[in-house]
Structures are given as C-alpha cells and as structure tokens.
Amino acid sequence: MTTKTEKLLLQRRSIRAFKPVTLTPEQCQRLMEVARQAATSTFLQQCSVIHVTDEALRATIREVCRQKYVGSNGDLFIFVVDLYRNYRLRQQQQVGVGQLHTTDVFIQGVEDTMLAVQSVATAAESMDLGCVFLGSIQNDIRPIIKALHLPQLTFPLIGLQVGIPDQQPQLKPRLPLALRTFDNHYQDVFDLNNFQDYDQVVHTYYDLRDANRRVDTFTNQIKKKLTTSQAQRNEILPVLHEQGLCWK
Amino acid sequence: MTTKTEKLLLQRRSIRAFKPVTLTPEQCQRLMEVARQAATSTFLQQCSVIHVTDEALRATIREVCRQKYVGSNGDLFIFVVDLYRNYRLRQQQQVGVGQLHTTDVFIQGVEDTMLAVQSVATAAESMDLGCVFLGSIQNDIRPIIKALHLPQLTFPLIGLQVGIPDQQPQLKPRLPLALRTFDNHYQDVFDLNNFQDYDQVVHTYYDLRDANRRVDTFTNQIKKKLTTSQAQRNEILPVLHEQGLCWK
C-alpha cells in the first residue's frame, strides 16, 4: 500500500504562484531543522542555507532568475555548497587547505546541498506548502555571490521558493521507466521511435495547461533547449575556479 | 504539529546492516516510480538508475566501496548523471552536441540525480526500509563505469543500498543551525570556540555507538579527514573529462 510520503513524492509538482503571505518563523525553523538532519557525505556537513528576507536582495535574485515569483510571495532560501566552514576549522588548527580545492570534495558538497534541498522540499509539501527549485540562479551567479557576501570555497547552488500554493498545476509527465532504468548494464534504447508515445503525452500536457503556450514534444525540446545558452551560463566553471573550487 | 514525513526526515540515519532478503519486484518498482517523478532541471530528465543484481557486478562495486554491506543484503541502485540520452535524441534530429559538454549542463544533471536519490531514500524509509548513500563509489570510479557499460556523457554519481534494517543506529548529531543557516548574508561565525559544545556532543555519540571505535570530535575529524586523499579520488575531474563532461 502506497505510503503517505510516497504519495507526496509521486504527486510533486513545482508551485510558482503563492498566497501573499510569508512563512511563520516556526515553519522556517522546522524546514531548517530538516535541512540540518539531511545526510552528509563523510560527515563533512558542507552545506549552508541563506534565508533571504531583505527586499533589495530578493530583487537582485529575482532579476537573475528572470521569474517574477522569485523572492515574491512566500520565502526564499538559497542553498550554498560550503567548504569554507571546514577551511576555517582547519586554518585555526594549523593545517592547510588540504583537499578543499578538489573536484572530489566539491562534489561531496554538492551532494550534501542537494540532499538538504530535496529533504526541505519534501517536508514543506508534507506541511501543505508548495515550492519551486530555482536552478535559474545560475543564469548569472556572480551578482548572487556578491549580494550574499559569499566567501571563497562557497558556491550558491540552488534556490528554493516556498509558500502557500495559489495554483494547482497538473502533474508533469515523465519519461517512461523503460527509458530511465536498467538492470545491471546501461542500454542504449534511445531510438527516436521509442519516444513517440511520450512525446504525445507531453504535447497533451502543455495543451491543457495553457492554450497560449507553445506546444512542444519532449524530443523537440531537447533539440532546441540544449543548442545554445546565455553567455553567463558558460561562466560557471570559471566562477567555480574563482571561488577556489574544482581546481583539480 | 510535526508531520509524519517531517518525522521521517528528522529521524533519518544510515542503515548499514540489512536482513538477508532482497526487495520485492513491487517494492523496487515503487522506488523507481518515485525516482521518475523527482524534480528535474529545465525538464531535461538527466538521470538514469541502474539496479545491480548481478553478483559479479555487485562484487566489483563492493570492492571499490570497501564496505562489506555494499551489494550484499538488500538491493543496490546506482544513480547516474545521464546526458547521453539527450545527446542521442539530438543526434537523431541532426543537431550537434550543443551544450552537453558544459559544466552548466553537467551540474543540472547532478541536481536531477541527487533530487532523485533523496526522494527514493525518503520513500524507502516511509516503507519501513532503510538505506545508505554510497558516495564511496567515487573511491575508484573507472571500474564502475566499465562494469556498468556506461557510455560517454554519463557519470555514476552515487549509490543507494536499500533493504530491511537489521540495526537501529543512533541519530548522528548535526552542527547547530547557528553555524549553518544565515539571514541575508553569509557570516563567518566559525571561531573554534563556537564548536566546543558540538564537539562534545559528537564525542559522546561515538562513545555510545561503539566503545571500540576511535572517538573524535567534529573539528578534529575535519582536521584529519580533508588532509590527504586516496589517489583515485583526485582523478574525478580527469574522468569527467574522459566522459565528455565539464569541458568548459
């Protein structure tokens, strides 16, 4: 029998319209406790969270994300890969930066950060809140690093806007499991023909959500979306290097 | 009032001893459905999951992870950052590799993968199963890429061992929120003195879990753990490049 938590996860959808209220301090506290208890790679605890309440900061982030709901109703949290805290602990114990410049440790921090943000999103949904992940902070990450006063060895990875839902979007259809899961060995089963049924489902989904929105199949989206990118999206590796991350 | 899902997340701990049974096909299917519905960055769906049931493959992965419970009782899943599927869809539509070699798109795939694995872990716990994340596959990732037949533009990011718990470990204490969450601006509050109480808590935790285990405070762990690394852990960036990822 499907559990209540499973149902939440199976019914998850991005909420992009929230009622004009903020979370209570108690709700925020509960969400942060969940972030705190999330799993952490080799116990390094390399994630920090910034709760952005200042209107000017919210406006900066909204501008980067180019979505009016960002930093608007509800509450905005930025989840930060944080290797700086451990750097400071090492520094005060007279040991050097050690492995903190490696891709290995950065990826561990990314894992901590993503485990935390997904846990918070699930908790929020269980509290009848809605949320949307904001990968769009990567549209131009330098202004965000500056605005939040993020030091070396940190990187703002993803945002989460949380609030009381003011919309009920449809569930967005996903690729069938046969195209995403494999037994023992990866298999190239990606003949375009195998995507035809799914393309039709995606096509229908968009039709229902918004008659004015351009309808596009999944395969056509992949053809178009990944072709070019805005300039700053190609600056992510340089910014990581500036932040002292992924040097080798 | 704390929700049931919140309680699950607050009580989460790694399970490393499982009863000598595998999951039912129905349980596996349910977990994969949760993976499938996880959020995905710009709808690119760049995660695949490999269910490893073959004993020789399990042994290979166990050897890399150097933990006897890996690929033993219960079931083993490897979560793969998968940009290859979208590459194939583009190729068949006569468009080039586009942005797939960029760090930007790789990070989006990492996000998809981590959102999926945390969602599956939460679902598993709600089904009274236990699990442990296996970042340790990164100890030596090339043999795993080879064993699972992973093509270019894929990267096995993290494993998840799931089963019926055969132990009840203590909850592992986390850094206090004052050292992990901030309002509006990041703050360097990392004076060693601020870690004293927490160090004592961590010290006690280890004492209780296993009297024979070396007791170490958090700050001391950070001093020691990040100092050096095994050789292959420094090969992660070269391997990403070999796989066609993070070229710029």
Side-chain angles (χ1 to χ4, degrees), chain A residues 1-3 5-6 8-10 12 30 32-34 36-40 42-45 47-54 57 82 84-86 88-90 92-93 98-100 102-104 108 110-111 114-115 118-119 122-123 126-127 133 147-151 157 172-177 179-186 188 190-192 195 198 218-219 221-223 225-229 233-234 236-237 248, chain B residues 1-3 5-6 8-10 12 30 32-34 36-40 42-45 47-54 57 82 84-86 88-90 92-93 98-100 102-104 107-108 110-111 114-115 118-119 122-123 126-127 133 147-151 157 172-177 179-186 188 190-192 195 198 218-219 221-223 225-229 233-234 236-237 248:
Chain A
M1 202 179 61
T2 312
T3 68
T5 300
E6 235 182 312
L8 272 182
L9 293 163
L10 292 171
R12 193 215 72 83
R30 283 163 67 184
M32 291 303 97
E33 285 293 344
V34 167
R36 185 182 171 215
Q37 284 300 328
T40 165
T42 59
F43 201 46
L44 298 175
Q45 305 190 69
C47 165
S48 291
V49 187
I50 301 189
H51 183 198
V52 185
T53 55
D54 179 84
L57 290 179
D82 189 354
Y84 177 78
R85 182 170 41 239
N86 289 341
R88 287 278 288 124
L89 291 179
R90 290 177 61 82
Q92 292 171 83
Q93 295 179 95
Q99 297 292 305
L100 290 169
T102 63
T103 301
D104 179 27
Q108 290 182 61
V110 168
E111 290 177 346
M114 294 307 300
L115 294 173
Q118 176 62 61
S119 298
T122 305
S126 81
M127 294 156 64
F133 295 105
L148 302 180
H149 300 179
L150 291 173
L157 186 64
K172 198 161 178 177
R174 295 294 196 270
L175 282 168
L177 281 183
L179 298 169
R180 294 197 57 182
T181 58
F182 308 100
D183 284 333
N184 295 311
H185 298 293
Y186 190 91
D188 184 340
F190 307 133
D191 190 286
L192 268 184
F195 290 79
Y198 179 62
F218 178 71
T219 53
Q221 287 185 50
I222 295 305
K223 181 179 176 180
K225 273 184 186 170
L226 288 161
T227 300
T228 56
S229 184
R233 281 267 183 183
N234 285 323
I236 288 175
L237 190 54
K248 61 175 186 176
Chain B
M1 204 179 60
T2 312
T3 67
T5 300
E6 237 181 310
L8 272 182
L9 292 163
L10 291 170
R12 193 214 71 85
R30 282 163 66 185
M32 291 303 97
E33 285 293 344
V34 167
R36 184 182 172 216
Q37 284 300 329
T40 167
T42 58
F43 201 46
L44 298 175
Q45 305 190 69
C47 166
S48 291
V49 186
I50 300 189
H51 184 198
V52 185
T53 55
D54 179 83
L57 290 179
D82 189 354
Y84 177 78
R85 181 170 41 240
N86 288 341
R88 287 279 287 122
L89 292 179
R90 290 178 60 82
Q92 292 172 83
Q93 294 178 96
Q99 297 292 305
L100 290 169
T102 64
T103 301
D104 178 28
I107 285 181
Q108 290 182 60
V110 168
E111 291 178 345
M114 294 305 301
L115 294 173
Q118 176 62 60
S119 298
T122 304
S126 81
M127 292 156 66
F133 295 105
L148 302 180
H149 300 179
L150 290 173
L157 186 65
K172 198 162 181 178
R174 296 293 197 269
L175 282 167
L177 281 183
L179 298 169
R180 293 197 55 181
T181 57
F182 308 101
D183 284 333
N184 294 312
H185 298 292
Y186 190 91
D188 185 341
F190 308 132
D191 190 285
L192 267 185
F195 290 79
Y198 179 62
F218 178 71
T219 53
Q221 287 187 48
I222 296 305
K223 181 179 176 180
K225 273 185 186 170
L226 288 162
T227 300
T228 56
S229 184
R233 281 267 182 182
N234 285 321
I236 289 174
L237 190 54
K248 60 175 186 176

Side-chain angles (χ1 to χ4, degrees), chain A residues 146-166:
Chain A
K146 195 176 165 196
L148 302 180
H149 300 179
L150 291 173
Q152 288 282 299
L153 296 168
T154 63
F155 185 75
L157 186 64
I158 193 164
L160 190 72
Q161 182 80 21
V162 189
I164 300 172
D166 198 22

Side-chain angles (χ1 to χ4, degrees), chain B residues 26-192:
Chain B
E26 186 231 349
Q27 284 173 319
C28 289
Q29 166 85 14
R30 282 163 66 185
L31 295 179
M32 291 303 97
E33 285 293 344
V34 167
R36 184 182 172 216
Q37 284 300 329
T40 167
S41 184
T42 58
F43 201 46
L44 298 175
Q45 305 190 69
Q46 293 183 140
C47 166
S48 291
V49 186
I50 300 189
H51 184 198
V52 185
T53 55
D54 179 83
E55 188 40 54
L57 290 179
R58 284 175 170 238
T60 298
I61 297 171
R62 181 163 48 240
E63 201 175 319
V64 167
C65 293
R66 294 190 211 113
Q67 307 283 358
K68 66 178 174 8
Y69 53 83
V70 173
S72 179
N73 296 336
D75 280 72
L76 173 61
F77 300 90
I78 303 292
F79 286 71
V80 177
V81 179
D82 189 354
L83 280 55
Y84 177 78
R85 181 170 41 240
N86 288 341
Y87 166 69
R88 287 279 287 122
L89 292 179
R90 290 178 60 82
Q91 186 191 41
Q92 292 172 83
Q93 294 178 96
Q94 280 77 50
V95 288
V97 70
Q99 297 292 305
L100 290 169
H101 293 310
T102 64
T103 301
D104 178 28
V105 180
F106 173 69
I107 285 181
Q108 290 182 60
V110 168
E111 291 178 345
D112 283 8
T113 305
M114 294 305 301
L115 294 173
V117 74
Q118 176 62 60
S119 298
V120 169
T122 304
E125 281 150 13
S126 81
M127 292 156 66
D128 294 323
L129 300 169
C131 45
V132 56
F133 295 105
L134 304 170
S136 51
I137 61 170
Q138 301 301 333
N139 286 345
D140 192 7
I141 201 64
R142 283 190 185 96
I144 292 182
I145 290 171
K146 195 177 165 195
L148 302 180
H149 300 179
L150 290 173
Q152 287 283 298
L153 295 169
T154 63
F155 185 75
L157 186 65
I158 193 163
L160 190 72
Q161 182 81 22
V162 189
I164 300 172
D166 198 22
Q167 64 176 183
Q168 288 193 297
Q170 268 188 278
L171 196 64
K172 198 162 181 178
R174 296 293 197 269
L175 282 167
L177 281 183
L179 298 169
R180 293 197 55 181
T181 57
F182 308 101
D183 284 333
N184 294 312
H185 298 292
Y186 190 91
Q187 283 188 286
D188 185 341
V189 290
F190 308 132
D191 190 285
L192 267 185

Side-chain angles (χ1 to χ4, degrees), chain A:
Chain A
M1 202 179 61
T2 312
T3 68
K4 207 166 172 174
T5 300
E6 235 182 312
K7 276 182 200 153
L8 272 182
L9 293 163
L10 292 171
Q11 295 297 312
R12 193 215 72 83
R13 56 207 79 190
S14 297
I15 299 296
R16 295 184 175 87
F18 303 96
K19 305 223 178 203
V21 290
T22 56
L23 303 183
T24 65
E26 186 232 349
Q27 285 174 318
C28 289
Q29 167 84 15
R30 283 163 67 184
L31 295 179
M32 291 303 97
E33 285 293 344
V34 167
R36 185 182 171 215
Q37 284 300 328
T40 165
S41 185
T42 59
F43 201 46
L44 298 175
Q45 305 190 69
Q46 294 183 141
C47 165
S48 291
V49 187
I50 301 189
H51 183 198
V52 185
T53 55
D54 179 84
E55 189 39 54
L57 290 179
R58 285 176 171 238
T60 299
I61 297 170
R62 180 161 49 239
E63 200 174 320
V64 167
C65 293
R66 295 191 211 113
Q67 307 282 358
K68 67 178 174 6
Y69 53 83
V70 172
S72 178
N73 296 337
D75 280 71
L76 173 61
F77 300 91
I78 303 292
F79 286 71
V80 177
V81 179
D82 189 354
L83 280 54
Y84 177 78
R85 182 170 41 239
N86 289 341
Y87 166 70
R88 287 278 288 124
L89 291 179
R90 290 177 61 82
Q91 186 190 42
Q92 292 171 83
Q93 295 179 95
Q94 281 76 50
V95 287
V97 70
Q99 297 292 305
L100 290 169
H101 293 310
T102 63
T103 301
D104 179 27
V105 180
F106 173 69
I107 286 181
Q108 290 182 61
V110 168
E111 290 177 346
D112 284 9
T113 305
M114 294 307 300
L115 294 173
V117 74
Q118 176 62 61
S119 298
V120 169
T122 305
E125 281 151 14
S126 81
M127 294 156 64
D128 294 323
L129 299 169
C131 45
V132 57
F133 295 105
L134 304 170
S136 51
I137 61 171
Q138 301 302 332
N139 286 345
D140 191 7
I141 201 65
R142 284 192 185 94
I144 292 183
I145 290 171
K146 195 176 165 196
L148 302 180
H149 300 179
L150 291 173
Q152 288 282 299
L153 296 168
T154 63
F155 185 75
L157 186 64
I158 193 164
L160 190 72
Q161 182 80 21
V162 189
I164 300 172
D166 198 22
Q167 63 176 184
Q168 288 194 295
Q170 267 189 279
L171 195 64
K172 198 161 178 177
R174 295 294 196 270
L175 282 168
L177 281 183
L179 298 169
R180 294 197 57 182
T181 58
F182 308 100
D183 284 333
N184 295 311
H185 298 293
Y186 190 91
Q187 284 188 285
D188 184 340
V189 290
F190 307 133
D191 190 286
L192 268 184
N193 293 326
N194 294 337
F195 290 79
Q196 280 184 359
D197 292 348
Y198 179 62
D199 270 346
Q200 286 313 306
V201 173
V202 171
H203 183 94
T204 309
Y205 165 77
Y206 278 111
D207 270 347
L208 292 176
R209 186 164 68 163
D210 178 357
N212 297 316
R213 195 182 164 117
R214 188 193 61 178
V215 170
D216 224 344
T217 63
F218 178 71
T219 53
N220 212 25
Q221 287 185 50
I222 295 305
K223 181 179 176 180
K224 291 179 183 168
K225 273 184 186 170
L226 288 161
T227 300
T228 56
S229 184
Q230 53 209 69
Q232 292 96 333
R233 281 267 183 183
N234 285 323
E235 288 287 302
I236 288 175
L237 190 54
V239 173
L240 287 172
H241 290 163
E242 285 167 23
Q243 292 298 102
L245 299 163
C246 297
W247 283 1
K248 61 175 186 176

